[in-house]
Each structure stands twice: as C-alpha cells, then as structure tokens.
C-alpha cells in the first residue's frame, strides 16, 4: 500500500497512507536483537513473542526512530545490499541535509550493506527531488543492453508538496557506494508535469529493457517505458485494463485500477501479472510491450471464503488486489489483497435509500458509540483540508441533536482537477482531524469524480490508512460520490464544473450500522487457469475483538522463494512477518493445494512490516528481508524445520 495524500493520487489513496509522526532525530545503529523503536509495548500494535517455526530473526538495522518513515525494500542481485524507501519528514523530499548518513534526511533511498547478515550497516542514502518520494516502487535489477551493462536501481516518485515531480527515476548502482543518476522523473506527462506514479517494475528483455509504471493521474493507467537507453527513457504504451471488463459490479467491486505488477519470463514469453484492485489479478503477454496481449483475469468468489470459514459471516469479498508474485515453478501465483477497513456499513440516507459505505480502520469504531451505530444530521464541509470557512458542530446544529444522534461533517476526497479549488489534496486523516477540531462526532469522506470513474462507479468508495499522527477521537466513514449529492438533495454529477452543496449547508439525516468483514489476506491461484485454489488469513484478522487498537492486520506484500516452488513469505503489517508453504495432497493436481503457515516473527514491542524480499546466499541459506515502517531493515533466515501452524 503505498502512501500519498488521498486525493492526490486520484484513483488509489487506499495505498498504505503511512503514519507521519512529528519530526524526531534519525538514528543509524548497528544490528540489534531488539532495536529501541519503542520504549514500551506500543499502542495500536499487535505484540508477539519473537520468532517461531521455521523463521529465525538474525539482525536489525535501525534506520529511523520516527514512526511510519520506511516503505519498500529491495535486494541487489548479488544479495550484498538492501535498498529501502524513506518517505521523509517535513517537506518530504530534497537534498539539503540528506548527504548520506546525516540525521533527519528528507525522502530518498537507504543503502544497507548486508554482506554480514548478523551486522547490517547503512552505507549510503540517495536523496529524492524536493517534494517527491519513493514508496512502493523500489527495485534493483541487472540490465545489459548496448547502452547500459550493470545494476540498476528503479524508484517511483510520488508528489508530496508543491515542487514535487512524478515519473520513474533510474540509478546506476553497479557500485552501491557510488550511485550515479541515469535519468529522473520520466513517464507520462500532463499539462504541467510528469504524472505521479505509485510503483514501478523493470525487466531486461535481451536487446531491450523496459519498465512498467503505475500512472496515478489517468486512465489508461498501465504505462510502459523503453529504458534500453536508461538516460533517455521513452513512453511506448498505455493501457486501461477496464476495457476488458475485469471489474465485478455484481459483487459491488467497481474500483478497478493498477496498483502493482511483476514481469517474468516463462517458457520464452514475458508475462506481466497486474494487481488491478477490484478487477483482481490480470495476466498480459508483453513480448511486445507496445502491443500487449490480454490473457485473462481472476474472479473473486461470491462469498468471502476466509470470513465465512472463520466467523460464519456470509458477505461478498472486499476486492483490493494489491500485489502479486509467481512461484519458482510458475504453476502458481500469490495475490495479496490489502483491506484496511475491517468493517463495512449499512448506510441509509433518510428518505432516499441504502448505499455502500465503510469505516476507516484507524478512527474510533462505530460499535463503541453509545447505541452502537452512527446516526444524525449532516453538514457539508467542502474538501475539509482546513477548518477555514466550515461551521463548527455547535454553529451548525446548536442544541437540536437528539440524545442518540451524532453531528456529522461530510467532505470530499481531493481536491483533484477541480478548477474552483486548485490547492493541494490532503490526507484522509487531515479531513477527519478537521471535523474533530470543529467538534463533530464523525466525518464522512465522499469519493471524488475520478474515484467514481466519471459516473461508471457512482458508489465506489475508498477508506485509506492514516496519513499523519493525531489523537483520533471520532468516527470516520467513506462512501461514494453519488451519496454525497443525495445527502444534500442534489442530482449526482461527475464532471466539472458541478454544483456542490454550499459549505455549511445542512443535509439529510443518515444512519450507519457497522458490519464486521475482516482485514485483507493472500490468495493462492493456478497460474494457468487463473482459478483461485486457497486463501489464508491470520486468526486476529477475522476476529472482531482485534478490529481496532492492534494496528493494521491486513496483508501487504508477498515474496516467493527464488528456487523452491512451495515457499513464500508475507509482510503482514502489525501481524508481523509470516512464512508459508504450498502443500498439495497430489503434486500433479493444483486443486489439491493449499496455503499452510510454517513460521513467523512478531516482536514483543510490535512490528509494522511493509515490504518483504527473499534470496538464497552462495552457501544455500534462505534469507528474508522485511522493512518495518517504524524502524528499518529486519533480517530473517528460513531454517525450514517444517513446523506448520505454530503461532505465538
């Protein structure tokens, strides 16, 4: 889940909006068994007992003591260096104080020497451009063309301030101690700048090399660049996979857009597997990237299998296809669905009808309100990025609220593309804090035009993660663009200019009743038929008792073993790092295969794992790298002791 201001990315703010804490001194420390990222067991973290099963914790390189600073992790092809994205503090990007090993660097990429696995050491830092930052798209790959022969670092760029630039940036890290810029901020261009991108993945196709990037700004959103000459990348193709009807509106899954992707050569063909959110996982042949061939996509089950199996609740799936990888033998792939909201809501607008909605996973749960539900009058607050011009709850409603009612502020995602408001988009959490500062009991964040896909998905809604740190004391809900208009008696429109409600206008009463639907989890698929074979979820993710106060219990990413077909590793945010096996009763029949947990790690002081990578050392050891958002790089070894289902 990457991170960005929720409207700034248009279609995909749910991507891991990291907790931006107040600035604090960054420490660079040698490996430690229990790095002091917290002085005591933290609030809002699930805590564990260390490692279990076949996963053994070796060491940790503490890179920051500021919560939410670390994003993705990648490893060099030789296994000697790890590269970690740093989201940055303050202006979030720039070169003024980064300098390699200085305190409080702005956004960029850490370089960590892991040649001694027991003693990892930061040896460099590559600063990002001002107001730009990497996140989900950090990759290190060997490339050999007529223009370049060496090791290349690929990073995405997400804008986080007025000087920010998007696109992909390429570095020569053949000598990791002396990285060299090859090109920066290349991609699709809009009126003023290169489009913001959420992730990137490069591959060497022989004579040519390519990179596929996530275009946050528009459909088509699958953009491919030729980087054969990495100093002069060229945009050669753009695709909108919605043209292949991958969404499943019959299940209420209508937000289909690219989030992440991998490309792998399989039997002489270059296959791209795209995580397309509610569209599931989409397979393309990219032998000719300028003329990609659509091969098929996965389908979600009509009933959420993990929710039903572990709780007996019958509910449609949440969707949210986030990231994926093929197994070593290419018979399977694993897809990770990222769902930050363990509740969906039965949302009724008085006198109008019912509409889809969901709760944010980091706000106060509706279930803890005195009557267990949210109901009351609404007032419009525009985009809610500041309190300016918005009436307080007292000014809007006075003493008219009934004893069981709450004062509710309604705001929009964004602003994005609105000619009447060209200010920067702000985080979901900023909007919720605005309501809290003004005395409201709850904030409803309605989708914007792009999130509603111009009216094709009027009820699509997106509850992102927390974008900055504050003492959250109220309820937060997300709903579709159509519902926003109907709350204020208007006809929904999806193009600018539109007649939004006036700020301060009082709307209809609404009621929302929470319904538990669990957190996101991984799926096992047959790579040939694209059929779902099995799913897995940690028990806490399907237990309402862990719906709040224990951190994000959704899966984030998967890394499959480079040579063993049956082994894989999951970064599971606050649920720790997990090792798994694909176990089959008949190795020739994929329908007999299932996911079985074999080990894991969760620190007694809590973890928040974002990224995961794995590689095999020259002496045959299987090493797993995890990036903890609150601290840095954690290194594990898979001891392969074959102990299944042993949890702390």
């Amino acid at each position: 889940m990457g991170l960005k201001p929720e409207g700034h990315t248009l279609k995909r703010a749910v991507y891991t909006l990291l907790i931006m804490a107040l600035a604090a001194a960054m420490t660079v420390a040698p490996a430690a068994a229990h790095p002091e990222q917290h002085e005591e067991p933290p609030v809002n973290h699930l805590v564990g007992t260390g490692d279990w099963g076949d996963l053994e914790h070796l060491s940790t390189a503490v890179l920051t003591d500021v919560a939410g600073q670390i994003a993705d992790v990648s490893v060099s092809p030789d296994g000697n260096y790890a590269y970690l994205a740093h989201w940055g503090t303050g202006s979030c990007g720039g070169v003024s104080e980064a300098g390699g090993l200085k305190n409080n660097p702005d956004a960029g990429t850490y370089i960590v020497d892991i040649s001694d696995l027991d003693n990892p050491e930061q040896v460099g830092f590559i600063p990002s451009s001002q107001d730009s930052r990497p996140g989900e798209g950090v990759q290190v790959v060997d490339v050999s063309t007529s223009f370049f022969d060496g090791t290349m670092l690929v990073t995405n760029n997400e804008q986080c301030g007025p000087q920010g630039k998007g696109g992909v940036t390429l570095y020569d890290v053949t000598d990791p101690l002396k990285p060299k810029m090859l090109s920066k901020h290349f991609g699709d261009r809009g009126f003023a700048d290169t489009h913001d991108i959420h992730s990137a993945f490069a591959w060497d196709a022989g004579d040519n090399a390519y990179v596929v990037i996530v275009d946050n700004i528009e459909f088509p959103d699958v953009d491919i660049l030729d980087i054969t000459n990495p100093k002069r990348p060229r945009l050669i193709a753009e695709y909108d996979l919605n043209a292949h009807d991958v969404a499943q509106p019959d299940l209420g899954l209508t937000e289909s857009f690219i989030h992440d992707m991998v490309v792998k050569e399989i039997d002489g063909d270059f296959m791209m597997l795209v995580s397309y959110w509610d569209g599931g996982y989409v397979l393309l042949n990219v032998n000719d990237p300028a003329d990609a061939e659509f091969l098929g996509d996965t389908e979600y089950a009509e009933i959420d299998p993990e929710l039903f199996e572990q709780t007996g609740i019958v509910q449609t799936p949440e969707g949210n296809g986030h990231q994926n990888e093929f197994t070593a033998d290419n018979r399977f792939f694993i897809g990770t669905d990222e769902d930050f909201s363990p509740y969906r809501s039965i949302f009724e607008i008085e006198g109008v009808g019912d509409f889809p909605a969901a709760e944010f996973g980091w706000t106060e749960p509706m279930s803890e309100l005195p009557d267990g539900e949210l109901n009351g009058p609404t007032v419009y607050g525009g985009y809610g990025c500041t309190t300016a011009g918005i009436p307080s709850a007292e000014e809007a409603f006075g003493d008219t609220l009934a004893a069981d009612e709450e004062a509710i502020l309604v705001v929009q995602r964004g602003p994005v593309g609105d000619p009447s408001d060209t200010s920067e988009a702000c985080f979901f959490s900023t909007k919720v804090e605005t309501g809290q500062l003004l005395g409201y009991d709850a904030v409803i964040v309605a989708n914007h035009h792009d999130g509603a896909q111009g009216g094709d998905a009027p009820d699509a809604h997106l509850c992102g993660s927390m974008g900055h740190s504050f003492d959250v004391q109220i309820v937060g809900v997300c709903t579709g663009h159509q519902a926003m208009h109907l709350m204020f008696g208007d006809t929904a429109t999806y193009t600018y200019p539109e007649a939004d409600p006036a700020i301060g206008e009082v709307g209809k009463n609404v009621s929302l009743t929470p319904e538990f639907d669990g957190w996101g989890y991984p799926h096992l698929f047959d790579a040939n038929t694209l059929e779902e074979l099995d799913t897995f979820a940690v028990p806490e993710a399907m237990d309402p008792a862990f719906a709040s106060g224990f951190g994000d219990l959704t899966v984030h990413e998967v890394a499959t073993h480079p040579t063993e077909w049956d082994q894989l590793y999951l970064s599971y945010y606050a649920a720790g790092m997990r090792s798994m096996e694909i176990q089959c009763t008949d190795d020739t029949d994929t329908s007999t295969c299932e996911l079985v947990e074999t080990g894991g790690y969760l620190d007694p002081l809590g973890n928040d794992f974002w990224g995961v990578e794995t590689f095999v050392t020259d002496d045959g050891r299987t090493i797993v790298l995890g990036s903890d958002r609150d601290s840095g790089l954690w290194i594990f070894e898979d001891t392969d002791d074959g102990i299944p289902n042993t949890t702390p």
Side-chain angles (χ1 to χ4, degrees):
M1 163 187 274
L3 171 147
K4 56 188 70 70
E6 55 77 28
H8 185 74
T9 61
L10 306 186
K11 306 182 284 289
R12 49 184 64 79
V14 72
Y15 314 131
T16 320
L17 296 171
L18 301 178
I19 302 172
M20 301 301 291
L22 296 175
M26 184 202 75
T27 60
V28 177
H34 296 285
E36 298 301 323
Q37 76 268 33
H38 306 290
E39 293 181 357
E40 59 186 25
V43 176
N44 206 35
H45 277 66
L46 190 67
V47 297
T49 57
D51 49 37
W52 72 91
D54 59 13
L55 205 61
E56 178 184 348
H57 178 219
L58 300 180
S59 60
T60 299
V62 178
L63 303 175
T64 183
D65 60 3
V66 180
Q69 294 298 288
I70 306 298
D72 212 358
V73 61
S74 185
V75 63
S76 61
D78 63 9
N80 287 326
Y81 293 89
Y83 296 77
L84 290 86
H86 175 62
W87 283 97
T89 58
S91 63
C92 85
V95 300
S96 58
E97 295 296 329
L101 300 175
K102 301 290 181 69
N103 285 343
N104 287 327
D106 289 320
T109 306
Y110 292 106
I111 305 174
V112 182
D113 185 337
I114 59 171
S115 55
D116 180 352
L117 293 168
D118 294 320
N119 295 284
E121 180 184 5
Q122 182 189 341
V123 293
F125 184 86
I126 305 173
S128 294
S129 300
Q130 181 70 33
D131 294 347
S132 302
R133 56 188 172 192
E136 202 101 64
V138 176
Q139 179 198 15
V140 187
V141 59
D142 283 338
V143 173
S144 180
T145 70
S146 58
F147 292 91
F148 179 82
D149 188 7
T151 304
M152 186 183 298
L153 169 65
V154 181
T155 70
N156 70 306
N157 290 284
E158 293 182 302
Q159 302 171 28
C160 50
Q163 304 303 314
K165 297 179 176 62
V168 68
T169 296
L170 308 176
Y171 303 91
D172 180 352
V173 290
T174 306
D175 181 352
L177 303 182
K178 297 180 180 179
K180 301 174 183 177
M181 176 78 71
L182 294 169
S183 57
K184 61 181 179 179
H185 304 300
F186 274 80
D188 197 4
R189 294 189 66 85
F191 175 75
D193 198 6
T194 307
H195 289 179
D196 189 85
I197 73 167
H198 180 68
S199 189
F201 189 92
W203 72 100
D204 187 330
D207 293 336
N208 297 314
Y210 305 97
V211 62
V212 54
I213 60 178
V214 173
D215 189 329
N216 290 340
I217 302 301
E218 68 174 11
F219 289 108
D221 55 351
V222 182
D223 293 352
I224 301 178
L225 285 75
D226 186 320
I227 58 168
T228 303
N229 180 353
K231 294 184 177 181
R232 300 188 65 181
R234 296 183 299 111
L235 180 66
I236 61 171
E238 301 178 84
Y239 303 101
D240 177 1
L241 301 186
N242 288 302
H244 299 284
D245 296 324
V246 298
Q248 299 178 68
D250 55 320
L251 296 179
L253 304 178
T254 55
E255 279 224 334
S256 296
F257 49 78
I258 184 174
H259 182 276
D260 217 324
M261 58 274 143
V262 296
V263 178
K264 186 176 183 182
E265 186 176 10
I266 301 176
D267 297 329
D269 291 317
F270 287 94
M271 309 298 286
M272 180 184 294
L273 189 58
V274 179
S275 300
Y276 216 65
W277 213 244
D278 288 352
Y281 301 91
V282 183
L283 189 63
L284 305 173
N285 181 306
V286 289
N287 287 342
D288 180 0
D291 188 20
E293 179 185 0
F294 174 84
L295 299 177
D297 66 298
T298 65
E299 299 288 332
Y300 283 102
E302 292 185 4
I303 296 174
D304 186 311
E306 283 298 323
L307 186 65
F308 179 73
E309 180 179 337
Q310 295 198 39
T311 70
I313 296 173
V314 176
Q315 186 58 272
T316 56
E318 187 74 17
N320 301 4
H322 169 271
Q323 186 257 347
N324 62 75
E325 276 201 11
F326 289 102
T327 55
D329 63 354
N330 303 317
R331 286 195 301 158
F332 307 93
F333 69 85
I334 314 298
T336 59
D337 290 356
E338 184 182 47
D339 175 15
F340 283 110
S341 179
Y343 285 95
R344 66 184 69 188
S345 301
I346 301 172
F347 176 34
E348 181 181 0
I349 302 174
E350 188 176 85
V352 179
D354 295 343
F355 298 87
E359 284 189 76
F360 290 96
W362 44 268
T363 55
E364 285 296 297
M366 283 189 284
S367 59
E368 295 185 8
L369 290 171
D371 58 357
E373 67 176 17
L374 175 66
N375 60 282
T378 56
V379 63
Y380 187 64
Y383 289 108
C385 293
T386 71
T387 59
I390 305 174
S392 68
E394 175 67 23
E395 292 168 334
F397 303 122
D399 59 359
T400 62
L401 293 178
D404 64 344
E405 288 185 330
E406 288 79 34
I408 303 169
L409 180 67
V410 179
V411 298
Q412 275 197 79
R413 285 176 63 190
V416 172
D418 184 349
S420 69
D421 190 338
T422 58
S423 59
E424 285 289 312
C426 60
F427 290 117
F428 283 108
S429 53
T430 301
K431 299 172 188 293
V432 172
E433 187 177 26
T434 291
Q436 182 168 303
L437 291 171
L438 291 169
Y440 290 91
D441 301 303
V443 172
I444 296 176
V445 183
N447 218 339
H448 50 33
H449 291 164
D450 269 70
Q453 297 182 20
D456 289 339
D459 297 323
H461 52 282
L462 208 53
C463 284
S465 189
M466 195 173 185
H468 79 292
S469 181
F470 72 104
D471 182 16
V472 186
Q473 299 177 6
I474 65 174
V475 172
V477 174
C478 63
T479 192
H481 191 73
Q482 173 179 233
M484 180 196 76
H485 285 281
L486 296 176
M487 276 186 274
F488 296 92
D490 299 326
T491 300
T493 60
Y494 304 95
T495 57
Y496 294 114
E498 74 172 349
D500 286 336
I503 292 179
E505 180 179 342
V506 175
K508 297 179 182 297
N509 279 38
V510 300
S511 64
L512 295 98
T513 304
E515 185 173 282
F516 182 76
D517 67 356
W519 304 80
Y521 54 81
H523 300 247
L524 174 67
F525 294 97
D526 184 309
N528 293 307
T529 66
L530 305 184
E531 293 295 319
E532 181 178 282
L533 305 174
D534 193 27
T535 57
F536 167 87
V538 297
E540 295 87 350
M542 295 296 154
D543 185 344
F546 292 89
S548 65
F550 298 91
D552 297 321
L553 301 181
T554 177
V555 71
H556 189 233
E557 293 187 348
V558 61
T560 55
H561 196 285
T563 59
E564 300 293 330
W565 68 269
D566 59 343
Q567 294 176 228
L568 57 117
Y569 310 92
L570 301 167
S571 52
Y572 229 110
Y573 285 116
M577 188 66 64
R578 305 288 173 136
S579 61
M580 305 201 72
E581 286 185 358
I582 302 170
Q583 295 184 1
C584 308
T585 57
D586 180 350
D587 286 349
T588 65
D589 182 359
T590 61
S591 68
T592 69
C593 302
E594 63 180 359
L595 295 171
V596 177
E597 183 176 274
T598 57
Y601 180 89
L602 183 58
D603 197 82
L605 296 179
N607 288 111
D608 200 358
F609 285 115
W610 170 301
V612 58
E613 285 288 348
T614 183
F615 65 96
V616 178
T617 64
D618 291 340
D619 58 356
R621 299 169 68 189
T622 297
I623 302 302
V624 181
L625 306 180
S627 56
D628 186 298
R629 289 161 41 170
D630 298 342
S631 56
L633 176 67
W634 294 59
I635 302 178
F636 307 91
E637 180 175 359
D638 185 344
T639 60
D640 195 22
D641 66 5
I643 302 175
N645 296 322
T646 305
T647 57

